[in-house]
Amino acid sequence: MIKLDAKIPEGPLAEKWSRHKRSVKLVNPANKAKLDIILVGTGLTGSAAASSLGELGYNVKAFCFQDSPRRAHSVAAQGGINAAKNYRNDGDSVYRLFYDIIKGGDFRAREANVYRAAEVSNQTIDQLVANGVPFAREYSGYLDNRSFGGVQVSRTFYAKGQTGQQCLLGAYSGLNRQITAGKVTMYPRRDMLDIVIIDGKARGIITRNLVTGEIERHSGHAVVLATGGYGTIYYLSTLALGSNVSAAWAAHKKGALFANPSFIQIHPTSLPQLNDYQCKLTLMSESLRNDGRIWVPKIKGDKRQPNDIPEEDRDYYLERRYPAFGNLVPRDVASRAAKERCDAGFGVGKTGLSVYLDFKDAIKKQGKKAIENKYGNLFEMYHKISGDNPYEVPMRIYPAGHYTMGGLWVDYNLMTTVEGLYAIGEANFSDHGANRLGAGSLMQCSGEGYFILPITIGDYLAGQIKTPRISTDHPEFEVAEKAARDKIKKLMAVNGKQTPTTFHRRLGKIMWDYCGMVRNEEGLKKAAVLVKELEEEFWKDVKVVDTELELNQELEKAGRVADFFGIAKLMIQDALSRKESCGAHFREESQTPDGEAKRIDSEYAYVAAWEYAGDDKPQILHREDLKFENVELKERSYK
Amino acid sequence: MNITLEIWRQKNARSKGKFVTYKLDGVSEEMSFLEMLDYFNKTIVEKGGEPVAFEYDCREGICGCCGLHINGYAHGGAHETTTCELRMTKFKDGDKITIEPWRSRAFPVIKDLIVDRSAFDKILRAGGFITANAGAAPDANAIPIRKVDADEAFDSAVCVGCGACVAACKNSSAMLFVSAKISQFAFLPQGRVEAVQRVQKMVARMDELGFGNCTNTGACEARCPKGIKLTNIARMNREFIGAKLGSQIVRH
């Protein structure tokens, strides 16, 4: 029987982390050199962790599926990274940052974790600057900040629209230094296929070398997953095409509980789907809503060109519904409102699945030059992809799957329910509750990688110093390797007619329609049936090209899609069980008379952590009740 | 539209490759170039053939994975555009499109259109970092950096490591890539401390890995999807000479 213990330290909120740091066990330097850590995923959080752990003297084996850690999808974060530096003297503080994240997450995150994330944010900025990250500066030479994501202070550090790229490259340079120093061994082009557990402890992984096709065994005293999110469940999303759930799913099947799987953020400003060949939805920065006005025609199916539609025939629906915040309502609210209009038949474009984001008034008021200075690169990107010039005609946008707040359940030490198995960054569930605020992801990822995991993992490893290097000849490695090989053989043996991508696209459509922006019991139950049917069809009709011992992209995709079926079923189960609306999770049955989300704190102020019970069995729910000792639960209103 | 594709097929690093010609019907001009290749692969797989291997991930021009030689030009030759940002509107019915992997001895072919660019990682590991352990950093605002310097550092730092500069260069020179990283750190006070060792180590590693020299044709700059400037190479040369002479040349 699994008993959830978040291991939150005693003491006042602001002192928990420093008290905890004082009390965790330490590993002496000579012993660190005898301990091996496996780290899967080398995006921002993984690279940061690898460099910090290497600096401390552990032996790190780091794995990624890309050809280089620099390619990880952290690279695509645009807007910025938050820190509570209060360089603007605008009243910001660690507490305010903490409060904004808790509230933005609709009170479904753990107070202690969030406070710690806010606390280490300041150190993180120091570290990134020391690593040579060229953040934007003022003429004084000091760092510039901007306001982001609907908060009232300017706490976002940024490097033009490429903050994620620059942060990742900074962490990657630190990782490179440890590779040169011999403390980190890098294994690129590897897919993690399974976790090896010996006597209840995570002791290794099974990987596939994506170039040679060889199945490999790697052992360590602890395993860290930094494998990102699974927004690609919708097929069309803002994520990189390679982003996947497989490593986290393998951990889940081996006993790591999966928390809040249905909490996926839908970003409101992405390019719409234009055709059936499209492979992804490119994100347009949220900052565009500072000056752009969102509207649809008042007349259903109005076929006129946008510039021919007069003011009186336009419905600026966000300004109409939310006069106080207008076009600047949070992501979840803006996304649902766009869907509502399109579903009601007012959407624009060939598919009717997009809304206008219009800069006409901003250009008239501020001049074209001013708009170009603010959004030039975004306008150019939009022009390149859509062929439309946004200086002359309104942009067309639509919401897209983006970030997964859900992930592997972890305690305060970032350890999953499997001893010695950790999850950091987007792969865990810890900090963002039911909705993530802008510029919060880079903050969490770098903080956990540089400063939190390297300390908390010592507490566990201190007890492992008498364990000699784990042999990969152990029978548990045999079993795991055989299971991995069997799965590959099974995929190839189907020899059907449809490509893995075809199935992924179809699965994505089901999830988008029934477990996307708006959910209801009937739809979710229908989706459960459809996903099950599609999964059965997959195992009867998928076509995987039979070149096992070589680079085989179709096999990689097939393995990932097979795991997406698992998480899809769990998402649906989770969404069904949470009969309230909160953050990104909107249950139609739970709304206020005027159509806004209705949270039910008396029944659902918990983390839903799911235990795997077998492929075709419903999973078992474990509740971690959330205790709010420092903040008062309030309704979010943007009217 | 209907097009003809001439694609480099190579089973693996050990075997010999060749061009194979394919007809492809039903291409929509709404596709991106890589979506056209996705569509092409789907038709091959459904007929029981082996799809063309090519590299991609973000599909929005920032990860640096994709990189194809298209009709003789790295990334297809459009201004500051990665292969994934290229659209089929650039082509017309009846076109023949030749697609090759990057051509450089330092980037051996792994399969079809995928090459091994790990040489870039190796150069960065020689010195493309600042030795600052986590926890040791002073407050981020302790060292002011002139805005012009921070902006210049940023402009050099936006390199995505795609390798188009090497592919476009007749000498397979990696000077644009290496100089961009050296410039980024040269502009920052945090990076100056190790500047003398950095430039020497990185240049030495670059030479060992089989990249050619620079003869100032400017092909790298012209094909760089991120607009990295040739002046980075001049700066690297200056840093290098200064380091070799045993003194750091004043920068401004």
Side-chain angles (χ1 to χ4, degrees), chain A residues 558-625:
Chain A
R560 291 168 189 170
V561 174
D563 294 331
F564 278 131
F565 283 114
I567 188 74
K569 288 187 279 187
L570 183 57
M571 276 174 69
I572 292 167
Q573 197 187 345
D574 183 49
L576 266 172
S577 78
R578 191 174 283 275
K579 294 178 178 156
E580 64 159 351
S581 296
C582 65
H585 173 66
F586 187 83
R587 279 290 299 261
E588 271 179 348
E589 299 92 331
S590 180
Q591 49 183 310
T592 60
D594 49 354
E596 301 302 330
K598 193 168 126 202
R599 222 174 55 219
I600 308 173
D601 293 327
S602 56
E603 288 178 56
Y604 296 100
Y606 63 76
V607 173
W610 298 92
E611 180 189 352
Y612 182 78
D615 265 336
D616 288 314
K617 292 203 185 105
Q619 304 212 3
I620 302 154
L621 174 65
H622 298 263
R623 289 165 46 151
E624 179 199 338
D625 290 322

Side-chain angles (χ1 to χ4, degrees), chain A residues 55 68 70-71 85 87 126 132 141 143 165-166 172 176-177 180 189 241-242 280 350 384 551 553, chain B residues 30 35 54-55 57-58 60 63 80 111 121 125 131 133-134 139-141 145 157-161 184:
Chain A
E55 285 161 14
S68 164
R70 68 178 301 150
R71 316 259 184 237
K85 284 285 196 186
Y87 282 160
D126 299 342
L143 289 156
Q165 179 199 28
Q166 293 307 314
Y172 158 73
N176 277 339
R177 181 161 73 93
T180 302
R189 295 193 192 273
L241 270 57
K280 81 161 287 175
K350 203 166 77 179
K384 234 185 231 175
L551 190 140
Q553 292 171 310
Chain B
E30 284 185 342
E35 283 161 7
F54 63 97
E55 204 143 26
D57 202 20
C58 79
E60 57 183 70
C63 73
E80 292 188 13
K111 182 173 188 168
D121 292 309
R125 281 167 200 159
T131 305
N133 278 6
D139 185 85
N141 258 348
I145 301 172
V158 296
C159 165
V160 294
Q184 177 196 342

